Amino acid sequence: MNAGKQGGRRIASLLRPSTKDHSICNQCRNAINQRRSASTAAAVAESPSQTSTASQAPLPKQAYQINAGVVLSRPPQITRDLTPFEKAYFFYQRRLNERLALPFTRYFYFRKGTPADIEWKQKVKQRQTAARDIGVYNAYSKEGWNDELLVGAKESEPEEQLQALLSDAEVHGTEGDMMGEAKKENIEKPMPRVTEADRVGDEKSLNRLLQRTLYLLVKGGDGRWGFPTSGLVGRENLHQAAERILVQAGGVNMNTWVVGNVPIGHRNHPAPRTIFQEESKGQRTEEKTFFMKARIMAGQANTKDNKLEVADFKWLAKDEIEKAVTPGYWSAVRNMLVER
């Protein structure tokens, strides 16, 4: 050993703290010993784990079948029914507006003594106000402050207000009779909010549950209900697959629109035994179904001569879908559907 190496070892020994050096306190000596023992144990523990990882056999590769599903919906056609609080609030606002508005200037709109003026006086005498849908109420009388409804009053119901407007429109005075004798004219009434399909329970009709969003459900060859689904063909993407599925499952008589290129949800489930039965060779197989959102603009589904083995179809709301599908299917798709 040359002199240079010997000098370097001596300098290192002087700088390195020794456990036998009496100039080190007992607490520091114990801490140094603990660190050395801990590092030795860690080195011993790492060596078997590395060998076990290297000797562990690789896991089998996962195999998937990629499917595309279509959540085809019909949006609500009319507004929802008002709650009792909303009915009372809007009715109160109309009566309050009648109190705050200026009095109706009759002679500005009707010439005195004309049939229209006579008809106006008859109607105001009955309802005591210019407004036609707030019931019998005089905003300028001593009881004008009492503009709130009592419990059980029906003036705030839409049916009562509609009937009041129709009754007011049906009565007209004749021009030849200055005494104001009235005649009734037939007025076209609005369409009802409850349709014939609602009354008979026709679940294949799009003219039902006009306040709700309806979704197209189809019955597959296995007898289960679900959204139209099929595997990808060739190099098509999810958007193209959704357009193809709608035509193959519901026919060409539907005017539909696939919204966007991004799925709104997915579902993982075991694949049937026929899929990958020969190719998998013992590997675990699953199906991944990605659902695309679509809207129907016009037309109706027709499952005759379809290419996806669809046996039947229904247009159902969200709460009705829960009763038609399996619990596992419902847990996967329920967050894709709107409440109304």
Side-chain angles (χ1 to χ4, degrees):
M1 184 180 294
N2 55 22
K5 291 185 178 180
Q6 292 179 357
R9 288 189 174 184
R10 290 178 181 177
I11 294 174
S13 63
L14 292 175
L15 297 177
R16 186 185 302 114
S18 176
T19 56
K20 298 180 180 180
D21 191 357
H22 297 285
S23 62
I24 301 177
C25 64
N26 293 331
Q27 186 176 1
C28 296
R29 186 182 298 113
N30 295 333
I32 293 173
N33 293 332
Q34 291 177 359
R35 290 177 183 175
R36 290 179 178 176
S37 61
S39 61
T40 304
V44 174
E46 289 177 357
S47 56
S49 63
Q50 294 176 355
T51 57
S52 62
T53 305
S55 62
Q56 187 177 4
L59 295 176
K61 185 179 179 181
Q62 193 83 3
Y64 295 105
Q65 167 75 8
I66 305 299
N67 297 332
V70 186
V71 182
L72 182 64
S73 62
R74 186 224 65 187
Q77 305 298 300
I78 59 177
T79 57
R80 63 172 177 83
D81 292 333
L82 298 178
T83 63
F85 174 79
E86 291 172 337
K87 295 176 185 178
Y89 174 79
F90 291 131
F91 188 83
Y92 169 74
Q93 289 293 321
R94 288 197 292 271
R95 281 193 172 181
L96 180 62
N97 179 73
E98 192 69 15
R99 289 178 56 191
L100 300 178
L102 294 175
F104 181 78
T105 54
R106 185 182 72 186
Y107 295 118
F108 182 81
Y109 297 94
F110 307 111
R111 184 178 178 182
K112 188 175 182 180
T114 59
D117 180 58
I118 296 174
E119 178 187 356
W120 169 259
K121 288 190 294 185
Q122 289 178 345
K123 293 179 179 179
V124 171
K125 185 177 180 181
Q126 295 175 359
R127 60 177 182 248
Q128 300 180 10
T129 180
R132 299 172 296 173
D133 57 349
I134 62 174
V136 179
Y137 173 71
N138 189 354
Y140 302 101
S141 65
K142 295 181 179 180
E143 297 294 328
W145 58 271
N146 189 13
D147 52 4
E148 296 185 11
L149 284 177
L150 300 178
V151 177
K154 297 183 179 180
E155 285 84 353
S156 63
E157 295 295 331
E159 293 79 8
E160 295 292 330
Q161 297 173 8
L162 176 62
Q163 188 62 35
L165 293 175
L166 292 175
S167 300
D168 182 83
E170 287 176 351
V171 180
H172 295 278
T174 60
E175 295 184 359
D177 192 354
M178 301 302 293
M179 298 302 295
E181 291 185 3
K183 68 175 183 179
K184 287 189 176 182
E185 295 184 2
N186 293 328
I187 304 298
E188 186 177 355
K189 298 181 180 181
M191 296 295 293
R193 297 174 66 89
V194 179
T195 63
E196 183 66 22
D198 291 321
R199 288 189 285 268
V200 300
D202 185 6
E203 295 181 337
K204 291 187 177 182
S205 174
L206 280 167
N207 194 28
R208 62 182 293 266
L209 296 180
L210 301 181
Q211 307 176 36
R212 304 285 304 277
T213 300
L214 297 182
Y215 298 94
L216 176 64
L217 255 69
V218 297
K219 186 178 182 180
D222 56 355
R224 296 184 179 182
W225 290 91
F227 296 116
T229 305
S230 176
L232 301 183
V233 177
R235 299 178 61 86
E236 66 180 359
N237 54 36
L238 293 175
H239 186 98
Q240 296 169 344
E243 293 177 340
R244 174 182 57 82
I245 291 170
L246 289 176
V247 174
Q248 293 182 350
V252 297
N253 294 327
M254 290 193 301
N255 183 9
T256 58
W257 170 47
V258 179
V259 184
N261 297 313
V262 181
I264 60 174
H266 75 283
R267 172 177 178 250
N268 296 342
H269 55 98
R273 294 181 179 180
T274 56
I275 299 179
F276 299 136
Q277 191 170 9
E278 298 180 356
E279 293 85 350
S280 62
K281 296 181 180 180
Q283 296 178 358
R284 294 173 296 173
T285 59
E286 282 189 354
E287 284 190 359
K288 287 181 177 288
T289 303
F290 295 89
F291 295 94
M292 302 293 291
K293 180 180 180 181
R295 293 281 198 186
I296 181 171
M297 316 302 292
Q300 175 61 290
N302 184 10
T303 59
K304 184 179 180 180
D305 299 331
N306 68 89
K307 299 181 180 180
L308 298 182
E309 299 181 358
V310 175
D312 200 359
F313 73 94
K314 291 181 180 180
W315 291 97
L316 303 179
K318 182 177 181 179
D319 51 350
E320 297 173 334
I321 293 177
E322 182 181 4
K323 303 175 183 178
V325 300
T326 60
Y329 193 92
W330 170 249
S331 63
V333 304
R334 61 182 178 182
N335 292 332
M336 308 177 198
L337 314 178
V338 296
E339 295 292 339
R340 196 182 82 82

